[in-house]
Amino acid sequence: MSEKRLLLIDGNSITYKAFFALINQVNSFINNEGIHTNAVFGFNNMLNIMLDKFKPTNVLVAFDAGKTTFRTEMYADYKAGRDKTPDELREQFDYVKELLKNRGIKYYQLDNYEADDIIGTLSKEADQLGFETTIVTGDNDLTQLCSDKTTVSISNRGVSGVVRYDTDYVKEIMGITPAQIIDWKALKGDSSDNYSGVTGVGDKTALKLVTQFGSVENLYEHLDEVSGKKLLEHLTEDKESAFLAKKLATINRDAPIEITVDDTVYDGDHIKELINFYREMNFRKFLSEMSADQVETMDKVNFVELNSDNVNDIDVKDGANVSFYLGMDGDNYHTADYIGFALKIDETNYISRNIELLMDDNLKALLESDKISKNVFDGKRTYVGLNRLGIKLNNVDFDLLLASYLLDTNDNSYDLGKVANRHDYFDVQSDEDVYGKGAKRAIPDDDILFDHFARKVNAINSLKDKLFDELKENNQLDLYRDVELPLSFVLARMEIAGVVINKDILISMKSKISEKLLEIKESIYNDAGEEFNIASPKQLGEILFDKMQLPVVKKTKTGYSTAVGVLEQLAPDYPIVEKVLEYRKYSKILSTYVEGLLSDIHVDNKVHTRYLQTLTQTGRLSSVDPNLQNIPVRTEEGRKIRQAFIPSENNWQIFSSDYSQIELRVLASISGDKNMQDEFIHNDDIHASTARRIFGLSDNSEVTPEYRRQAKAVNFGIVYGISDFGLAKNTGISRSDAKEFIEKYFAEYPGVKKYMEDSVNSAKEKGYVETILHRRRYLPDINAKNFNLRSFAERTAMNSPIQGSAADIIKIAMIKMEQELEKRNLKAKMLLQVHDELIFEAPSEEIEILEELVPKVMDSAVKLNVPLNVKSHYGNSWYSLK
DNA sequence: GTGTTCACG
DNA sequence: ACGTACGTGAACACC
């Protein structure tokens, strides 16, 4: 690669492109001073991509100086009739220039000339000096500058996608040389620049003429060779226009610019100024990206290194402000190694790698104190980590992770630095920046690690008041204090309790299923006439649809679809497909559940899942390592997995209670629909009642199972934010039938219809939707021009308050449930939550108590306008619940 | 790392 | 005209 690389950017063109690429988000890109910033943001994105790709030694951004140029002198209407630049864009040009200054990039404009001419003149000089030049623009005109050393990159889709033109590529797709672009434009004209060329000559004819004659001049010298009478007439009539157009289209490569290539040396970002600029613009993304460089500019952080000699000097007075961070290496805090800890007491930071200091009486008492409150990042993680050391973390007041998630469910990174950045706090780096990523990840030396840890507790401490203020502003303080924060410790204790797994059951299932799979596999190979990887959708597709010529039902982006729905359609006619379905079912059970679960068992013969409390967009929990919220239940073969989930003591039972139709009940309550409410109040079979209504039957006794099934699907659809297409696809009925059902449904349940409309309208107005406990979900796409994005946001606006409120309810029930068990001194333990279901283990003699207690607590968790309904079951394992 | 499939509510 | 059910996690193939 040449050591001299020049990047030339058409500033106006790229700023325009950036603005319109992000036009949908123009109103979410507003900085604190009310200035729109979407074009500046997009421009910078493009800049990053280009700097990274071309690694230029020299850069210049050229701007147009104004409306009047030498071209308007020649032709007064040049570029006339263009739409006025929107105000939201005009205000951004000065900021683009400021961005460039801070990025160490020169820019230039010249009276009477356009950006094109500056670029043309400089690229000519650069060609002579032996530079490799890249021109970036949104405008095809500049392709005329292509040469051996100069390429033109034209951004098409937004600003990140570019098409790169070099001499060969211009020739390949146009069939003419770069220089001939001018002749081509002279003949066809340019409507956006408002000049016409030759009447009746468009892209194609112009190309043909240029190919045949080489240039406008040569064409007019050989007009007699032109075929087509009409064309000849137009050419003759518009000769003057064509020559004017050629002049207008020609980029001036000798503009009287006062700079040379030497003046465009790129010296890199001015980091301190750039950070200030990004802050002014509210560009969190760019701030986080450069936080690795940022460390040099951060103020020094003081700390005291703790050891066994000075640990007892720490004296914490009541009312002290204490922040604590426990460092662990890896995500799974049930087993992760400790790295160290940081403690901030008022203005002093204490750091150590020696985790045993925490077990020293002094610090242990501090962490366990109910008098002195603590601030943390991820209280659940901290609680479990300390629990392993025999320390019971108590009195947590502020959890940065939880608060951040409640304010915006997208702020859910488990990396403290990233979360802090989202709240405009930049004096801490992300773990990724400090520890490295992937194979390069390593815990750094003490000086770097201690600095990082000190910054973490500083961040927690600094953000506390700000985030509490924001929670208050959003009316979310109760949700934080009464639900999420206490729940995090309930979850911690459930995770610590774990569930015993009977290994022997899984091991015996493993050999049985393996045998079965072997049999099915042989039979499939026999049918196919060859061996192949049945688990590979690609290979399977080739066997079924190419080799065996089965009818193609559906395709995916990458090939034939072999999803269950597709195979089920084919199964009755093709035995091999039936076998593939069998094979899929058993191999899923084997790999994900039997083998997967076996590998997650800890030394205590238990699985200790981790609930992710700050991940979902709706407020639900999720579960990982292992995921205990998707253990099979729908098919008997899969359900057998549950036999391995057993109580931890002899003569104990597994006990489970679940809400029936909680989401529909929530909908009935928040929509205020009287018909639906009545049906729940009378404890009717809701799906049967829906069937009666939408099929116009006189009584629920006329509802056949098929009617009920369809009505149930409609009820599901309603909760998901229904569309006729979706309902039709899911139930196999026609789209017009689906449409009719939905209309009938809304006529019968008018309150539901109104709720759906209100949800969407309120989301469009406020930008977010809320649950009964004020849990928020922001929907930035709700006003998008793109149909898909907007529709998705609209369905989300309908669904999230329902799904989220149901999540709110069970969370309250869990907190109350733990309190009740403790209050009554019961041995029973809450082990699992599966969205609408709570699972316990308990001594047999407590079952009777639970049968009354659990439904009572769950029923009364939240007061709705309809009753909640809870059903309970128990048995010797999670499988045999009766 | 992305896409497909399939397990759950 | 557009082209869609809501929310998740894990395994595997394939690049």
Side-chain angles (χ1 to χ4, degrees), chain A residues 192-421:
Chain A
S192 80
D193 286 350
N194 198 40
Y195 59 85
S196 56
V198 177
T199 313
V201 175
D203 287 9
K204 295 271 165 58
T205 311
L207 205 54
K208 220 170 74 191
L209 291 170
V210 175
T211 316
Q212 189 183 346
F213 295 97
S215 71
V216 173
E217 289 77 6
N218 196 45
L219 162 66
Y220 277 96
E221 277 164 31
H222 300 87
L223 271 184
D224 51 318
E225 292 169 31
V226 171
S227 58
K229 198 172 149 218
K230 206 82 197 151
L231 178 58
L232 186 61
E233 263 174 42
H234 287 312
L235 282 169
T236 315
E237 261 171 40
D238 292 338
K239 180 172 178 182
E240 206 177 317
S241 166
F243 278 90
L244 173 65
K246 179 158 179 173
K247 271 196 207 161
L248 292 170
T250 304
I251 289 172
N252 186 333
R253 307 203 67 175
D254 296 297
I257 57 174
E258 291 146 343
I259 53 164
T260 65
V261 171
D262 269 351
D263 298 323
T264 65
V265 173
Y266 171 55
D267 54 9
D269 295 342
H270 304 170
I271 291 175
K272 205 143 194 169
E273 292 80 0
L274 186 58
I275 287 171
N276 285 334
F277 177 75
Y278 284 164
R279 287 183 182 169
E280 193 193 331
M281 293 286 110
N282 271 355
F283 288 162
R284 295 197 187 109
K285 177 181 169 250
F286 297 128
L287 278 166
S288 319
E289 277 172 7
M290 68 184 301
S291 61
D293 308 320
Q294 201 182 319
V295 70
E296 300 157 27
T297 72
M298 294 194 286
D299 295 329
K300 203 174 159 332
V301 179
N302 293 315
F303 59 85
V304 176
E305 186 180 350
L306 274 186
N307 52 50
S308 48
D309 294 328
N310 62 8
V311 67
N312 282 303
D313 299 344
I314 294 178
D315 178 28
V316 186
K317 308 224 164 34
D318 285 1
N321 197 3
V322 178
S323 297
F324 177 70
Y325 180 82
L326 180 62
M328 287 190 258
D329 189 6
D331 295 330
N332 196 337
Y333 47 72
H334 291 295
T335 52
D337 291 334
Y338 297 101
I339 301 175
F341 66 91
L343 187 61
K344 185 181 187 71
I345 299 169
D346 294 326
E347 293 312 309
T348 314
N349 297 322
Y350 302 96
I351 320 280
S352 179
R353 273 187 190 263
N354 183 0
I355 219 73
E356 299 202 347
L357 296 177
L358 292 172
M359 301 190 277
D360 181 280
D361 290 346
N362 197 21
L363 292 188
K364 185 166 190 263
L366 169 63
L367 293 165
E368 296 190 340
S369 164
D370 56 1
K371 299 269 186 327
I372 298 162
S373 69
K374 270 78 65 177
N375 311 313
V376 297
F377 177 84
D378 196 349
K380 176 157 68 70
R381 176 179 189 279
T382 312
Y383 182 98
V384 174
L386 289 174
N387 181 72
R388 287 164 55 200
L389 300 169
I391 301 165
K392 288 270 172 254
L393 177 64
N394 199 358
N395 197 353
V396 170
D397 182 39
F398 175 61
D399 182 338
L400 172 57
L401 174 65
L402 269 185
S404 183
Y405 168 72
L406 291 184
L407 290 168
D408 185 341
T409 48
N410 295 307
D411 297 349
N412 58 4
S413 169
Y414 281 86
D415 192 315
L416 191 157
K418 287 183 183 165
V419 171
N421 287 175

Side-chain angles (χ1 to χ4, degrees), chain A residues 634 661 663-664 667 687 690 709-722 727 730-731 745 756 799 802:
Chain A
R634 291 172 190 168
Q661 299 125 1
E663 293 190 346
L664 281 176
L667 174 61
H687 300 312
T690 302
R709 195 187 65 80
Q710 293 199 16
K712 191 173 171 180
V714 174
N715 276 329
F716 267 96
I718 291 290
V719 168
Y720 293 153
I722 202 156
L727 180 64
N730 220 265
T731 55
Y745 185 100
M756 297 293 175
N799 171 268
I802 303 173

